[in-house]
Structures are given as structure tokens and as C-alpha cells.
Amino acid sequence: MTLKILLVNTFYHPDNVGGAEFSVRLLAEELLRHGDMPIVVATKPHGSDSVETVNGVRVYRLNIENLYWPHPDTKASIPIKVLWHFMDIHNRRMGKKLSDILGAECPEVVHTHNLAGFSSAVWHACWHHNVPIVHTIRDFYVLCFRRTMYKNGFECTRICPECRIFKSVRAADTRFVDTVVGVSRSVLDTHLRHGAFAHAAQKVIYNPFNPVAKHKQVKGIEQMGGTSSPIIRFGYLGQLLPVKGIEVLLEAFVTLPFGTCELLIAGTGKPDYVRYLQSRYSAQNIKFLGFVSPDELLSRIDVLVVPSLWSEPMGRVVVEAYAAGIPVIASSRGGLKETVDDGNTGLLFDPDERGSLYRSMWTFVREPELLNRMRENALRRAKDYEPEVVARQYRTVYQETVALTRRKRSNTSSV
């Protein structure tokens, strides 16, 4: 059964901001290889709405109908940001634009992802066109205007007063969604616990990895001949932000015996914060690389560390590491505890427990022979996240959602 699927996400290649953009692109291109017809709708910062083809996929880029484009590099004052968020509660003009595309394309199903800039108005548009909706939860946009459920150094267990107005509208609009997919059980359960997506069918499908990284890095492992470097090379890959736990990692690393290991940090952040980190942690065995590709970092390290303080919905970097045969040390929060098999593909640590990350890192320094066993386990685990596996799971969800919606409509019309 060939399907025409409309994929909606805030950004799309080459506007790659985070893991969502890579995941949506891999999904779209894999669906195309299956013979389906994926069509992508994303935002753009200015100019007229446009249509182009990217690697065979038709992509609509819509000029955002708000005060600015929500790209991380965009600078705006606090009052402008506040107004932007209020306009994004229900952006009728973006909903109208999507409605026009639905009328022109007539897809069998719409698959929404990150909706910042679009707002839940797109779900209203789909409902008015009687198009089934599958939504993948990739952050906490429905519950929290920061999208992290993390504030002032602590995870939010309740909805903050300033988030309630956003949550009240968006959570109510989830009634239009037919099937909700969590990129982890953790992120799905958090939304259900707060009353969102209560009427939708529920699935968990983890993010895919980029298969290019797998091929490049496996070759490197073979060249090492299965032996470990006498110096354990730890790595960090991601934005340099406090919520990502970068200082927790640096504090743990500097307590390890000098000469036994090194730390490579790949990523960028606000210049002032990056300069602060470089000044405070200026040891010879700590290298700030700036922006580098995942392949480049993974080819140079033995263990990846993901020290997030917020409950990452999944942490796509974990499966990228697995595909390269790299074990992972990760915080036991959110979806990370689902993707890291403690003791087999890596180690979990408790960010609330002093010394927990240090002990995990010291385990690899003390027992470097663990690397060989965990490399093999990581490579085997990576097969669960191959793009074709993930695309096959989503195709099943699309087919089930279309069939379910048809049954609902048939039952409604017969009443």
C-alpha cells in the first residue's frame, strides 16, 4: 500500500538545528525509498513561501507568521520573546497555510513533529480536512514553553504557573491527534500523566541513526585490532549549555588521575559561556573542538558521555555512538535510561548523586578491557535503530491510523 504522508516539522535540511531535523530527514528519505510519497512542510525566516525538492523529497518552506524565526541563532529581547510565545499558542495564519497545502496535496495521513512556529493550529487544520494525524513527541512543547520541563537547575514535576496557559490550550488540542508516538516511553508517560493525548492510540518508536557514521567508524575499530588505547578518550557531543550537564562532566573529569584519560568536547554555545568553560577548565587533557561532525568526534574517542540534567526525550547521539561501536555513559533521566543498557552498552549515573559520574568514568579507566565487550554490544544494539527499521515501524503506524480513522468515521456516519 503506497501512502502519501505530509511531514510537518519546524526545520528541515539544510536547516539542521537538532536531532529532530536529522530524524525527520532520514524518515522522509527512507519512506521515499519504500515507494511512498513523503512531503515535508517546514518554516523559513523571510521571503515568500516556496517549494523545492531535497534529495527527491518535495519540501514546502513557509515564511513564519510570527515576530521572528525560532532558530537558536536568532537574537530577540525578552519582551519580544514573550510576545512570540503568546502568538505561538494558536497561530491561525500558519494553520491557514497548512490548510491550503492539505487542500492541494490531499495526503492520506499527516505526521507532525516539532511544532514551534506552527502551533497546534495545524492539528485544527487537519481535523477540518478529515486527515488522520500521527504526532511524534520530541520535546515538551505541549507542556512547557521552554520545551524542557527544566527550570532554575531543577526538573519540573508540575506545570509552572507561566506554562499553564500554553499547556491548557495545547493539551486540549491533542484531542485531534489520532496516534501519538513517543521517542521514548518516558516522554510519552510524562505527557499522559499531565492529561495530554489521552484519547490517542499510543506507540513508542525510537529515533534512527545516520548509517553513514556506522560504516566510517566500524572501519576504524577494525584498524585498532580490538586493542584499547592506554589513555581512555572520553567525548561530549552537543550544545554547550548548563542544562546539558557539561559542567557536571567537566567537574567529574578533572578529578580523574592526570595522564590516564582525555576529554574531547564537540559543540558550540553562547560565546560568553564557552569562554567561561574554557577559562575554568583549561587542562592540557581537555580539548574544546567547537563544531565538528559526529563522525569526526566518534572516530577519536573510546566512550561518549551524555550528562544531561533535563529529561532528554531520547538522546539521538546515543544511537549514533552505538552505530560507531562506542559505549555510552549517560545520566539516568528521561529516555536516556531506556537506550543505555547499564553494564552492557554503557553505564548510567545519577546526576543527583555526588561522585556518580566520576565512578562511571573511572570504571573505564580502571578496566579498559570493558571497551571491547561493550563495543560489540553497542554495534548489535544499533541494529534496532537502523533507518529502515524505524521507517517500517512508522509505516505500520500510518496504516493502522488510517484504518482506525476510517472505522471511526464509518461508525459516526451510521449513528
Side-chain angles (χ1 to χ4, degrees), residues 183-362:
V183 295
S184 66
R185 186 77 239 177
S186 173
V187 74
L188 178 57
D189 285 346
T190 298
H191 283 76
L192 296 175
R193 188 165 61 250
H194 289 289
F197 303 103
H199 305 291
Q202 301 160 18
K203 301 286 183 180
V204 174
I205 300 177
Y206 296 103
N207 289 329
F209 67 84
N210 184 351
V212 174
K214 174 183 178 181
H215 298 146
K216 287 184 177 179
Q217 187 63 12
V218 169
K219 182 177 180 181
I221 290 173
E222 292 171 351
Q223 290 172 343
M224 288 191 294
T227 62
S228 300
S229 169
I231 294 179
I232 301 300
R233 299 161 298 174
F234 295 102
Y236 172 90
L237 179 63
Q239 291 180 290
L240 303 187
L241 298 170
V243 72
K244 290 285 191 175
I246 181 63
E247 289 184 74
V248 174
L249 169 57
L250 287 162
E251 287 290 339
F253 180 80
V254 296
T255 60
L256 291 168
F258 187 83
T260 63
C261 53
E262 65 179 5
L263 175 61
L264 305 182
I265 300 173
T268 59
K270 293 182 178 179
D272 288 347
Y273 185 60
V274 174
R275 283 193 292 270
Y276 157 75
L277 294 175
Q278 292 173 333
S279 173
R280 179 166 181 176
Y281 304 97
S282 58
Q284 287 185 335
N285 60 345
I286 300 176
K287 296 180 174 64
F288 289 85
L289 306 179
F291 176 81
V292 300
S293 69
D295 290 355
E296 182 178 342
L297 178 73
L298 294 172
S299 68
R300 298 173 61 182
I301 66 173
D302 300 305
V303 181
L304 182 75
V305 185
V306 186
S308 292
L309 300 180
W310 72 296
S311 290
E312 292 233 24
M314 178 182 165
R316 186 174 178 275
V317 67
V318 172
V319 299
E320 287 184 336
Y322 287 170
I326 304 295
V328 177
I329 297 175
S331 66
S332 56
R333 288 184 175 172
L336 293 172
K337 63 179 178 289
E338 298 175 39
T339 49
V340 175
D341 187 359
D342 192 28
N344 290 306
T345 62
L347 298 173
L348 292 171
F349 77 94
D350 183 353
D352 291 328
E353 182 183 337
R354 186 176 180 83
S356 182
L357 177 53
Y358 164 83
R359 289 192 295 273
S360 294
M361 299 174 77
W362 177 241

Side-chain angles (χ1 to χ4, degrees), residues 332-401:
S332 56
R333 288 184 175 172
L336 293 172
K337 63 179 178 289
E338 298 175 39
T339 49
V340 175
D341 187 359
D342 192 28
N344 290 306
T345 62
L347 298 173
L348 292 171
F349 77 94
D350 183 353
D352 291 328
E353 182 183 337
R354 186 176 180 83
S356 182
L357 177 53
Y358 164 83
R359 289 192 295 273
S360 294
M361 299 174 77
W362 177 241
T363 297
F364 283 104
V365 175
R366 188 181 67 244
E367 304 175 49
E369 64 275 7
L370 284 176
L371 288 172
N372 289 330
R373 176 172 63 83
M374 288 191 176
R375 282 183 185 129
E376 295 301 319
N377 293 340
L379 286 169
R380 282 194 291 271
R381 183 67 182 274
K383 295 182 183 297
D384 297 336
Y385 308 102
E386 291 181 344
E388 57 266 34
V389 173
V390 174
R392 188 162 57 246
Q393 292 174 319
Y394 271 115
R395 289 192 87 254
T396 299
V397 167
Y398 298 151
Q399 292 167 351
E400 291 175 349
T401 302

